[in-house]
């Protein structure tokens, strides 16, 4: 039987969930044996295979138009989608931005901040994506497995990936919910 | 021939979402290449209204790769605002955690990210030019590199309960003392770590000797250099004065970081979500400077630990005692700092105060604002909070490490594009060099910086009417 294909990507997060994945240390080699790692931060590819993957893992919420594209692309190319970490599960710390308008946040950063000089303006070049309200992954696309934690522990991530690799849906409960 | 635009997206193995656009003129020569930082999160706004003591837990979520930097800079801003300088043992313990972070972040960047380019070659087959290729080529070295990162991460866990987003520093000190057993556990890994770092330095020096031509034409920039120092212009990562020198090594300023607003300002460009800091008195862009390993070693005259100091002496000879402007020597500087951080871990653990239980100053003498500054792995990090009487945050200003290098990265991209692209014929090796120009600075824009591998890159060549002419793809 062919090994299940796994892709991961990140959106509006801090990279900490991927760092926790790397904190498996030598166990990463075991995961690499069980699955065919496709586009992930630890292999060569960035975009999930057009022909599809078995498992997609996303870190971070969705806070701009570029994240929306990443989420839709992953959902359309994977069978099981995992929301990894508090940001993907419910928006996490970056979702605190929703208490303010986007305009207010942009103005503070690029015009009002004490260190910004007279060139202050809100960047708007067509090459840049547009910020949006911060949303959890499931608000944008359907999610199959939720793994909370900021970040989830390396043990929990190892459990989730090894269950999925063996064709089982992980049951994230009890000590798997503990991330401190 | 019509003018063209080349887009490189995503820029890979950097922290965050960025892309490069290269504008070619009618003659097929590079007009200008842009480095666009493509994300905005708004921490400065949404921290308003939070309590000052919550900040060391909220702000690390800016970056999961160096969360300890934000954790400590935030606690230091809290110390300042509450008028509660930490007792000596607490300052030592914070510095110890910081050294753990420097080792894990720098070590990983050199071995897992830069390593493939250096050991396998910029022009090597991209299918093997990654950490897996490195593992196959040198499994022993790769295992050592994993253990190096683990040692740094474990120092963070021992002190702060977890490796990513620890809870340890609080305004006025820290919340946990170190036990003798914990100290001995950290020390037991010391010899292996030193040996691994020395192996890294030997690899880098050997590479530099064999690739002198690349080093001397690859983004050699003139800029100022900026970083914290202790008296005697000694390299400092936790607490000191900021020293700024010009491109020839002349000191322009040395100042208390609390007064940063008198010396630096930030310029905004429409095409990037990352601002461009500069030295106020010289204006933008004349007053640009570089931070991080290259900025700090250029701005320092000595290092307090013996082995790293010997390496610094050799580093100073690279350009005959003048500052080193070669972007590829960021790697050399990064390894020397890794050696310093590891040696400093031992020095800190040998200090009799390190096991003291005097870890919190409970006196309070609040002020309306506080500034906390630290040298994060990637450069000087500034947190500035305005605090109301009730402890609520009124305003926040942040200048993050990678920001100071925004000009340098943009300029490096432009320089490398102009040096290596001489017409519309673009090889994969050129793409990798454009990426490497950004990668050398180890920017913190997304998790992909710390990716262990090479990811695909798509280059689209369009004419000035945005019509697609050709697509190059590297998987
Ligand atoms: S859940 Fe926490 S660790 Fe993960 S990306 Fe979000 S802030 Fe970072």
């Amino acid at each position: 039987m062919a090994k299940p294909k796994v892709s991961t990507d990140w959106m509006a997060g801090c990279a900490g969930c991927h760092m926790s994945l790397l904190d498996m240390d030598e166990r990463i080699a075991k995961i690499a044996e069980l699955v065919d790692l496709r586009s992930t931060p630890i292999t060569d590819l960035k975009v999930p295979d057009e022909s599809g993957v078995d498992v997609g893992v996303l870190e971070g919420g969705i806070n701009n138009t570029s994240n929306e594209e990443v989420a839709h692309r992953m959902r359309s190319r994977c069978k099981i989608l995992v929301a990894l970490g508090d940001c993907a599960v419910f928006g996490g710390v970056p979702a605190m931005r929703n208490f303010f308008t986007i305009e207010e946040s942009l103005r503070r950063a690029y015009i009002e901040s004490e260190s910004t000089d007279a060139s202050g303006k809100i960047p708007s070049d067509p090459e840049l994506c547009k910020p949006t309200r911060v949303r959890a992954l499931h608000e944008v696309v359907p999610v199959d497995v939720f793994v909370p934690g900021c970040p989830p522990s390396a043990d929990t991530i190892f459990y989730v990936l090894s269950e999925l690799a063996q064709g089982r849906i992980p049951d994230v409960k009890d000590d798997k919910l503990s991330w401190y | 021939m019509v003018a063209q635009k080349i887009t490189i997206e995503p820029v890979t193995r950097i922290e965050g979402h960025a892309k490069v656009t290269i504008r070619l003129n009618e003659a097929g020569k590079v007009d200008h290449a842009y480095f666009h930082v493509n994300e905005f999160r708004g921490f400065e706004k949404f921290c308003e209204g939070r309590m000052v003591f919550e900040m060391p837990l909220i702000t690390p979520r800016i970056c999961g790769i160096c969360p300890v930097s934000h954790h400590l800079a935030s606690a230091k801003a809290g110390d300042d605002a509450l008028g509660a300088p930490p007792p000596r043992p607490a300052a030592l313990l914070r510095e110890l955690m910081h050294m753990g972070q420097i080792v894990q972040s720098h070590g990983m960047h050199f071995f897992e990210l830069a390593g493939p380019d250096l050991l396998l070659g910029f022009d090597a087959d991209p299918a093997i030019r990654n950490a897996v290729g490195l593992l196959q080529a040198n499994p022993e070295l790769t295992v050592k590199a994993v253990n190096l990162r683990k040692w740094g991460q474990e120092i963070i866990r021992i002190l702060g309960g977890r490796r990513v987003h620890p809870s340890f520093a609080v305004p006025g000190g820290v919340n946990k003392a170190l036990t003798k057993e914990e100290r001995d556990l950290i020390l037991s890994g010391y010899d292996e770590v030193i040996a691994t770092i020395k192996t890294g330095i030997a690899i880098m020096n050997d590479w530099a000797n064999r690739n002198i031509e690349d080093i001397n034409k690859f983004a050699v920039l003139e800029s100022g250099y900026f970083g914290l120092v202790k008296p005697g212009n000694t390299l400092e990562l936790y607490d000191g004065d900021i020293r700024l020198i010009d491109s020839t090594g002349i000191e322009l300023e040395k100042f208390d970081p609390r007064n940063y607003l008198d010396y630096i300002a930030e310029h905004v460009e429409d095409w990037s979500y990352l601002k461009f800091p500069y030295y106020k008195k010289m204006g933008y862009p004349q007053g640009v400077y570089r931070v991080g390993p290259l900025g700090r070693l250029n701005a320092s005259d000595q290092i307090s630990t013996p082995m790293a100091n010997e390496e610094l002496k050799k580093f100073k000879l690279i350009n005959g005692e003048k500052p080193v402007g070669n972007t590829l020597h960021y790697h050399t500087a990064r390894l020397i700092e890794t050696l310093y951080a590891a040696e400093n871990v031992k020095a800190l653990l040998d200090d009799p105060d390190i096991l003291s239980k005097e870890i919190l100053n409970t006196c309070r003498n609040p002020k309306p604002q506080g500034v906390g500054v630290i040298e994060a792995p990637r450069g000087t990090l500034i947190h500035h909070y305005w605090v109301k009487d009730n402890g609520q945050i009124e305003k926040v200003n942040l200048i993050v490490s990678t920001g100071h290098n925004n000009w340098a990265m943009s300029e490096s991209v432009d320089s490398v594009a102009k040096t290596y692209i001489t017409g519309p014929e673009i090889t994969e090796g050129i793409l990798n060099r454009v990426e490497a120009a950004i990668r050398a600075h180890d920017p913190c824009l997304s998790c992909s910086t710390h990716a262990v591998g090479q990811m695909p890159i798509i280059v689209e060549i369009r004419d000035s009417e945005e019509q697609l002419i050709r697509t190059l793809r590297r998987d």
Side-chain angles (χ1 to χ4, degrees), chain A residues 10 13-15 23 25 41 44 46 97 108-110 114-117 119 121 124 127 129 150 179, chain B residues 5 19 38 40-41 61 64 130 162-163 266 268 270 273 275 278 395-397 446 451-452 454-456:
Chain A
W10 93 292
C14 76
D23 281 335
D25 298 330
D44 280 7
K46 178 74 176 171
R97 189 173 87 192
R108 172 67 201 154
Y110 299 105
E114 289 67 21
S115 45
T116 302
D117 68 14
S119 66
K121 59 182 161 296
S124 62
E127 300 290 351
C129 61
C150 182
W179 50 272
Chain B
K5 180 182 84 176
K19 67 175 173 183
N38 206 6
F40 165 71
R41 283 177 298 166
R61 271 72 185 182
N130 57 44
R162 49 207 308 256
R163 289 177 170 195
E266 296 179 286
V268 181
D270 199 41
Y273 280 124
K275 295 186 275 188
Y278 61 92
K395 280 193 300 182
V396 175
N397 194 36
S446 108
V452 189
Q454 183 71 43
M455 291 168 267

Short mmCIF file of all heavy atoms in Angstrom, two decimals, chain A residues 10 13-15 23 25 41 44 46 97 108-110 114-117 119 121 124 127 129 150 179, chain B residues 5 19 38 40-41 61 64 130 162-163 266 268 270 273 275 278 395-397 446 451-452 454-456:
data_model
loop_
_atom_site.label_atom_id
_atom_site.label_comp_id
_atom_site.label_asym_id
_atom_site.label_seq_id
_atom_site.Cartn_x
_atom_site.Cartn_y
_atom_site.Cartn_z
N TRP A 10 1.26 27.23 6.40
CA TRP A 10 0.95 28.14 7.51
C TRP A 10 0.29 29.39 6.99
O TRP A 10 0.46 29.78 5.84
CB TRP A 10 2.22 28.47 8.28
CG TRP A 10 2.86 29.72 7.78
CD1 TRP A 10 3.44 29.88 6.57
CD2 TRP A 10 2.91 30.95 8.44
NE1 TRP A 10 3.87 31.17 6.46
CE2 TRP A 10 3.55 31.84 7.59
CE3 TRP A 10 2.46 31.37 9.71
CZ2 TRP A 10 3.76 33.16 7.95
CZ3 TRP A 10 2.67 32.69 10.06
CH2 TRP A 10 3.32 33.58 9.18
N GLY A 13 -0.36 32.85 11.68
CA GLY A 13 0.08 32.31 12.96
C GLY A 13 1.45 32.88 13.23
O GLY A 13 1.83 33.90 12.67
N CYS A 14 2.21 32.19 14.09
CA CYS A 14 3.52 32.74 14.46
C CYS A 14 4.63 31.77 14.13
O CYS A 14 5.77 32.02 14.50
CB CYS A 14 3.53 33.06 15.94
SG CYS A 14 3.69 31.60 16.96
N ALA A 15 4.32 30.65 13.49
CA ALA A 15 5.29 29.60 13.19
C ALA A 15 5.54 28.69 14.38
O ALA A 15 6.21 27.68 14.26
CB ALA A 15 6.62 30.16 12.67
N ASP A 23 9.87 20.08 17.35
CA ASP A 23 10.28 19.68 18.70
C ASP A 23 10.06 18.19 18.97
O ASP A 23 10.39 17.70 20.04
CB ASP A 23 9.57 20.55 19.75
CG ASP A 23 10.24 21.91 19.91
OD1 ASP A 23 11.45 22.02 19.61
OD2 ASP A 23 9.56 22.87 20.32
N ASP A 25 11.88 16.33 17.72
CA ASP A 25 13.29 15.93 17.61
C ASP A 25 13.44 14.69 16.73
O ASP A 25 12.95 14.67 15.63
CB ASP A 25 13.91 15.72 19.00
CG ASP A 25 13.90 17.00 19.84
OD1 ASP A 25 13.96 18.09 19.25
OD2 ASP A 25 13.80 16.90 21.07
N PRO A 41 7.09 22.30 5.49
CA PRO A 41 8.33 23.04 5.74
C PRO A 41 9.56 22.13 5.88
O PRO A 41 10.66 22.64 5.95
CB PRO A 41 8.04 23.76 7.06
CG PRO A 41 6.56 23.83 7.14
CD PRO A 41 6.08 22.57 6.49
N ASP A 44 10.69 19.22 0.19
CA ASP A 44 11.03 20.11 -0.92
C ASP A 44 9.89 20.90 -1.53
O ASP A 44 10.14 21.85 -2.25
CB ASP A 44 11.63 19.27 -2.05
CG ASP A 44 13.09 18.97 -1.77
OD1 ASP A 44 13.54 19.31 -0.65
OD2 ASP A 44 13.76 18.41 -2.64
N LYS A 46 6.24 23.11 -1.83
CA LYS A 46 5.49 24.12 -1.09
C LYS A 46 4.00 24.00 -1.36
O LYS A 46 3.18 24.18 -0.48
CB LYS A 46 5.99 25.52 -1.48
CG LYS A 46 5.24 26.65 -0.81
CD LYS A 46 5.63 26.80 0.65
CE LYS A 46 4.94 28.02 1.27
NZ LYS A 46 5.12 28.07 2.70
N ARG A 97 -7.28 41.27 17.03
CA ARG A 97 -7.41 42.41 16.11
C ARG A 97 -8.86 42.72 15.79
O ARG A 97 -9.20 43.85 15.42
CB ARG A 97 -6.63 42.12 14.82
CG ARG A 97 -6.52 43.33 13.90
CD ARG A 97 -5.61 43.09 12.73
NE ARG A 97 -6.31 42.48 11.61
CZ ARG A 97 -5.68 41.96 10.55
NH1 ARG A 97 -4.37 41.95 10.50
NH2 ARG A 97 -6.37 41.44 9.56
N ARG A 108 -2.56 52.87 13.11
CA ARG A 108 -1.65 52.85 14.26
C ARG A 108 -0.24 52.44 13.80
O ARG A 108 0.75 53.05 14.17
CB ARG A 108 -2.18 51.88 15.32
CG ARG A 108 -1.23 51.63 16.49
CD ARG A 108 -1.05 52.89 17.36
NE ARG A 108 0.19 52.78 18.14
CZ ARG A 108 0.89 53.82 18.60
NH1 ARG A 108 0.48 55.05 18.37
NH2 ARG A 108 1.98 53.64 19.28
N ALA A 109 -0.18 51.39 12.99
CA ALA A 109 1.12 50.83 12.62
C ALA A 109 1.87 51.72 11.63
O ALA A 109 3.08 51.92 11.77
CB ALA A 109 0.94 49.43 12.04
N TYR A 110 1.16 52.24 10.64
CA TYR A 110 1.88 52.88 9.53
C TYR A 110 1.81 54.41 9.51
O TYR A 110 2.50 55.04 8.72
CB TYR A 110 1.38 52.33 8.19
CG TYR A 110 1.62 50.84 8.10
CD1 TYR A 110 0.58 49.94 8.24
CD2 TYR A 110 2.91 50.34 7.93
CE1 TYR A 110 0.80 48.57 8.21
CE2 TYR A 110 3.15 48.99 7.90
CZ TYR A 110 2.09 48.10 8.04
OH TYR A 110 2.33 46.77 8.02
N GLU A 114 4.89 56.27 17.00
CA GLU A 114 5.82 57.34 17.39
C GLU A 114 7.09 57.34 16.55
O GLU A 114 7.73 58.37 16.37
CB GLU A 114 6.17 57.21 18.87
CG GLU A 114 5.04 57.58 19.82
CD GLU A 114 3.86 56.63 19.78
OE1 GLU A 114 4.04 55.47 19.35
OE2 GLU A 114 2.75 57.03 20.17
N SER A 115 7.50 56.16 16.06
CA SER A 115 8.76 56.11 15.32
C SER A 115 8.55 56.31 13.81
O SER A 115 9.52 56.47 13.08
CB SER A 115 9.46 54.78 15.58
OG SER A 115 8.55 53.71 15.49
N THR A 116 7.32 56.31 13.34
CA THR A 116 7.08 56.47 11.90
C THR A 116 7.28 57.93 11.49
O THR A 116 6.78 58.83 12.17
CB THR A 116 5.67 56.00 11.54
OG1 THR A 116 5.53 54.64 11.93
CG2 THR A 116 5.40 56.12 10.06
N ASP A 117 7.99 58.14 10.39
CA ASP A 117 8.25 59.52 9.96
C ASP A 117 7.13 60.05 9.05
O ASP A 117 6.08 59.42 8.92
CB ASP A 117 9.63 59.62 9.30
CG ASP A 117 9.70 58.88 7.95
OD1 ASP A 117 8.64 58.53 7.40
OD2 ASP A 117 10.82 58.67 7.46
N SER A 119 6.71 60.00 6.05
CA SER A 119 6.34 59.19 4.89
C SER A 119 5.18 58.25 5.22
O SER A 119 4.71 57.50 4.37
CB SER A 119 7.54 58.36 4.43
OG SER A 119 7.88 57.40 5.43
N LYS A 121 2.08 56.06 5.60
CA LYS A 121 0.87 55.84 4.79
C LYS A 121 0.55 54.37 4.89
O LYS A 121 1.41 53.57 5.27
CB LYS A 121 1.12 56.24 3.32
CG LYS A 121 2.27 55.46 2.67
CD LYS A 121 2.50 55.94 1.25
CE LYS A 121 3.89 55.55 0.72
NZ LYS A 121 5.03 56.16 1.41
N SER A 124 -0.40 49.99 0.04
CA SER A 124 -1.57 49.57 -0.75
C SER A 124 -1.17 49.13 -2.15
O SER A 124 -2.00 49.08 -3.04
CB SER A 124 -2.55 50.73 -0.85
OG SER A 124 -1.91 51.81 -1.52
N GLU A 127 0.80 44.66 -5.45
CA GLU A 127 1.52 43.42 -5.17
C GLU A 127 1.19 42.84 -3.80
O GLU A 127 1.51 41.69 -3.50
CB GLU A 127 3.05 43.64 -5.24
CG GLU A 127 3.59 44.14 -6.56
CD GLU A 127 3.53 43.10 -7.67
OE1 GLU A 127 3.23 41.94 -7.37
OE2 GLU A 127 3.78 43.48 -8.83
N CYS A 129 -1.24 41.66 -0.47
CA CYS A 129 -2.57 41.13 -0.18
C CYS A 129 -3.33 42.14 0.69
O CYS A 129 -2.75 43.10 1.18
CB CYS A 129 -2.45 39.79 0.55
SG CYS A 129 -1.59 39.93 2.13
N CYS A 150 -1.40 26.21 22.10
CA CYS A 150 -0.66 27.36 21.57
C CYS A 150 0.78 27.28 21.99
O CYS A 150 1.20 27.98 22.89
CB CYS A 150 -1.31 28.66 22.03
SG CYS A 150 -0.50 30.13 21.37
N TRP A 179 -1.52 21.44 26.81
CA TRP A 179 -0.38 21.98 26.07
C TRP A 179 0.52 22.79 26.96
O TRP A 179 1.34 23.54 26.50
CB TRP A 179 -0.82 22.76 24.84
CG TRP A 179 -1.87 23.78 25.03
CD1 TRP A 179 -3.21 23.59 24.97
CD2 TRP A 179 -1.70 25.18 25.31
NE1 TRP A 179 -3.87 24.77 25.20
CE2 TRP A 179 -2.97 25.76 25.40
CE3 TRP A 179 -0.58 25.99 25.49
CZ2 TRP A 179 -3.17 27.11 25.67
CZ3 TRP A 179 -0.77 27.34 25.76
CH2 TRP A 179 -2.05 27.89 25.85
N LYS B 5 8.28 41.98 -16.13
CA LYS B 5 8.31 41.88 -14.66
C LYS B 5 8.42 40.41 -14.29
O LYS B 5 7.66 39.57 -14.77
CB LYS B 5 7.02 42.46 -14.07
CG LYS B 5 7.00 42.36 -12.55
CD LYS B 5 5.69 42.90 -11.98
CE LYS B 5 4.62 41.84 -12.01
NZ LYS B 5 3.36 42.26 -11.39
N LYS B 19 7.32 38.22 -1.27
CA LYS B 19 7.59 37.91 -2.67
C LYS B 19 8.57 38.93 -3.25
O LYS B 19 8.77 40.00 -2.68
CB LYS B 19 6.31 37.82 -3.49
CG LYS B 19 5.53 39.10 -3.69
CD LYS B 19 4.37 38.78 -4.65
CE LYS B 19 3.41 39.92 -4.78
NZ LYS B 19 2.26 39.60 -5.64
N ASN B 38 4.62 40.59 2.87
CA ASN B 38 3.21 40.51 2.52
C ASN B 38 2.34 40.00 3.67
O ASN B 38 1.60 39.04 3.53
CB ASN B 38 3.06 39.58 1.30
CG ASN B 38 1.83 39.91 0.50
OD1 ASN B 38 1.13 40.89 0.77
ND2 ASN B 38 1.52 39.07 -0.47
N PHE B 40 0.34 41.51 7.59
CA PHE B 40 0.15 42.54 8.60
C PHE B 40 -0.74 41.96 9.68
O PHE B 40 -1.79 41.39 9.37
CB PHE B 40 -0.52 43.78 7.98
CG PHE B 40 -1.06 44.72 9.03
CD1 PHE B 40 -0.18 45.46 9.81
CD2 PHE B 40 -2.41 44.81 9.27
CE1 PHE B 40 -0.67 46.29 10.81
CE2 PHE B 40 -2.91 45.65 10.26
CZ PHE B 40 -2.03 46.38 11.02
N ARG B 41 -0.33 42.07 10.93
CA ARG B 41 -1.16 41.49 11.99
C ARG B 41 -1.71 42.49 13.00
O ARG B 41 -2.75 42.28 13.58
CB ARG B 41 -0.43 40.34 12.68
CG ARG B 41 -0.47 39.08 11.80
CD ARG B 41 0.28 37.94 12.38
NE ARG B 41 1.67 38.30 12.53
CZ ARG B 41 2.54 37.60 13.26
NH1 ARG B 41 2.15 36.55 13.92
NH2 ARG B 41 3.79 37.98 13.33
N ARG B 61 3.58 35.69 20.74
CA ARG B 61 2.81 35.14 19.61
C ARG B 61 3.07 35.92 18.32
O ARG B 61 2.50 35.62 17.28
CB ARG B 61 1.31 35.13 19.93
CG ARG B 61 0.83 33.84 20.62
CD ARG B 61 1.29 33.72 22.04
NE ARG B 61 0.91 32.41 22.63
CZ ARG B 61 1.16 32.08 23.89
NH1 ARG B 61 1.79 32.92 24.69
NH2 ARG B 61 0.80 30.88 24.34
N GLY B 64 6.97 32.50 16.77
CA GLY B 64 7.18 31.24 17.47
C GLY B 64 8.59 30.70 17.33
O GLY B 64 8.94 29.68 17.92
N ASN B 130 18.85 20.20 -0.09
CA ASN B 130 18.00 20.43 1.08
C ASN B 130 18.52 19.59 2.23
O ASN B 130 19.52 18.88 2.10
CB ASN B 130 16.55 20.07 0.76
CG ASN B 130 16.42 18.64 0.28
OD1 ASN B 130 17.02 17.73 0.86
ND2 ASN B 130 15.66 18.44 -0.77
N ARG B 162 8.06 25.18 28.96
CA ARG B 162 7.83 24.66 27.62
C ARG B 162 8.80 25.29 26.63
O ARG B 162 9.36 26.34 26.91
CB ARG B 162 6.38 24.87 27.18
CG ARG B 162 5.83 26.26 27.38
CD ARG B 162 4.31 26.26 27.55
NE ARG B 162 3.65 25.54 26.49
CZ ARG B 162 3.00 26.12 25.47
NH1 ARG B 162 2.90 27.44 25.41
NH2 ARG B 162 2.43 25.40 24.54
N ARG B 163 8.96 24.64 25.49
CA ARG B 163 9.96 25.11 24.54
C ARG B 163 9.48 26.32 23.74
O ARG B 163 10.25 27.22 23.46
CB ARG B 163 10.31 23.99 23.56
CG ARG B 163 11.11 22.86 24.18
CD ARG B 163 11.31 21.80 23.12
NE ARG B 163 12.25 20.77 23.52
CZ ARG B 163 12.79 19.92 22.65
NH1 ARG B 163 12.48 19.98 21.37
NH2 ARG B 163 13.61 18.99 23.06
N GLU B 266 11.25 55.47 11.32
CA GLU B 266 10.88 54.45 10.33
C GLU B 266 10.22 55.09 9.12
O GLU B 266 9.31 55.91 9.26
CB GLU B 266 9.91 53.44 10.95
CG GLU B 266 10.51 52.64 12.08
CD GLU B 266 9.47 51.69 12.63
OE1 GLU B 266 8.55 52.14 13.32
OE2 GLU B 266 9.58 50.49 12.36
N VAL B 268 8.08 54.51 5.50
CA VAL B 268 7.09 53.58 4.97
C VAL B 268 7.15 53.60 3.45
O VAL B 268 7.20 54.67 2.84
CB VAL B 268 5.66 53.94 5.43
CG1 VAL B 268 4.65 52.95 4.89
CG2 VAL B 268 5.57 54.01 6.95
N ASP B 270 5.13 52.11 -0.02
CA ASP B 270 3.81 51.61 -0.38
C ASP B 270 3.81 50.12 -0.71
O ASP B 270 2.81 49.44 -0.59
CB ASP B 270 3.31 52.40 -1.60
CG ASP B 270 1.80 52.28 -1.75
OD1 ASP B 270 1.10 52.33 -0.71
OD2 ASP B 270 1.33 52.13 -2.89
N TYR B 273 4.63 45.74 3.70
CA TYR B 273 4.02 45.91 5.02
C TYR B 273 5.08 46.03 6.12
O TYR B 273 4.75 46.20 7.28
CB TYR B 273 3.07 44.74 5.34
CG TYR B 273 1.71 44.86 4.68
CD1 TYR B 273 1.22 43.86 3.84
CD2 TYR B 273 0.90 45.98 4.91
CE1 TYR B 273 -0.04 43.97 3.25
CE2 TYR B 273 -0.35 46.10 4.32
CZ TYR B 273 -0.81 45.09 3.49
OH TYR B 273 -2.05 45.20 2.90
N LYS B 275 8.15 48.21 7.70
CA LYS B 275 8.71 49.56 7.62
C LYS B 275 10.24 49.52 7.53
O LYS B 275 10.85 48.47 7.73
CB LYS B 275 8.25 50.37 8.85
CG LYS B 275 6.74 50.58 8.86
CD LYS B 275 6.29 51.50 9.99
CE LYS B 275 6.10 50.75 11.29
NZ LYS B 275 5.47 51.59 12.35
N TYR B 278 15.78 53.81 10.13
CA TYR B 278 17.04 54.48 9.73
C TYR B 278 17.47 55.42 10.84
O TYR B 278 16.70 55.77 11.73
CB TYR B 278 16.85 55.23 8.40
CG TYR B 278 15.81 56.32 8.46
CD1 TYR B 278 16.14 57.64 8.77
CD2 TYR B 278 14.46 56.03 8.23
CE1 TYR B 278 15.17 58.63 8.86
CE2 TYR B 278 13.49 57.02 8.32
CZ TYR B 278 13.86 58.32 8.63
OH TYR B 278 12.89 59.29 8.72
N LYS B 395 -0.78 52.65 24.84
CA LYS B 395 -0.25 52.62 23.47
C LYS B 395 0.95 51.69 23.44
O LYS B 395 1.63 51.50 24.45
CB LYS B 395 0.25 54.02 23.06
CG LYS B 395 -0.85 54.96 22.64
CD LYS B 395 -0.28 56.20 21.96
CE LYS B 395 0.65 57.00 22.86
NZ LYS B 395 1.16 58.22 22.22
N VAL B 396 1.24 51.18 22.25
CA VAL B 396 2.39 50.29 22.07
C VAL B 396 3.14 50.69 20.81
O VAL B 396 2.52 50.96 19.78
CB VAL B 396 1.91 48.82 21.89
CG1 VAL B 396 3.08 47.90 21.58
CG2 VAL B 396 1.17 48.33 23.12
N ASN B 397 4.46 50.74 20.89
CA ASN B 397 5.27 50.90 19.68
C ASN B 397 6.29 49.77 19.67
O ASN B 397 6.96 49.50 20.67
CB ASN B 397 5.98 52.25 19.68
CG ASN B 397 6.54 52.59 18.30
OD1 ASN B 397 5.92 52.25 17.28
ND2 ASN B 397 7.70 53.22 18.25
N SER B 446 8.01 34.38 8.53
CA SER B 446 7.11 33.22 8.59
C SER B 446 7.86 31.98 9.02
O SER B 446 9.05 31.97 9.15
CB SER B 446 6.47 32.93 7.24
OG SER B 446 7.02 31.76 6.67
N ALA B 451 12.26 26.11 7.81
CA ALA B 451 11.95 24.90 7.08
C ALA B 451 13.23 24.15 6.83
O ALA B 451 14.26 24.73 6.57
CB ALA B 451 11.34 25.28 5.74
N VAL B 452 13.12 22.82 6.92
CA VAL B 452 14.31 22.03 6.66
C VAL B 452 14.21 21.57 5.23
O VAL B 452 13.91 20.43 4.96
CB VAL B 452 14.35 20.81 7.60
CG1 VAL B 452 15.69 20.11 7.49
CG2 VAL B 452 14.12 21.25 9.03
N GLN B 454 14.07 22.62 0.68
CA GLN B 454 13.96 23.53 -0.43
C GLN B 454 12.56 23.40 -0.98
O GLN B 454 12.11 22.30 -1.24
CB GLN B 454 14.98 23.12 -1.49
CG GLN B 454 15.03 24.02 -2.68
CD GLN B 454 15.64 25.35 -2.31
OE1 GLN B 454 16.63 25.39 -1.62
NE2 GLN B 454 15.03 26.42 -2.77
N MET B 455 11.89 24.50 -1.15
CA MET B 455 10.52 24.42 -1.63
C MET B 455 10.44 24.93 -3.07
O MET B 455 11.36 25.58 -3.53
CB MET B 455 9.64 25.21 -0.70
CG MET B 455 9.55 24.50 0.63
SD MET B 455 8.82 25.52 1.87
CE MET B 455 10.23 26.24 2.59
N PRO B 456 9.34 24.63 -3.74
CA PRO B 456 9.31 25.03 -5.13
C PRO B 456 9.13 26.53 -5.24
O PRO B 456 8.61 27.17 -4.34
CB PRO B 456 8.06 24.35 -5.68
CG PRO B 456 7.17 24.26 -4.53
CD PRO B 456 8.06 24.07 -3.34
#
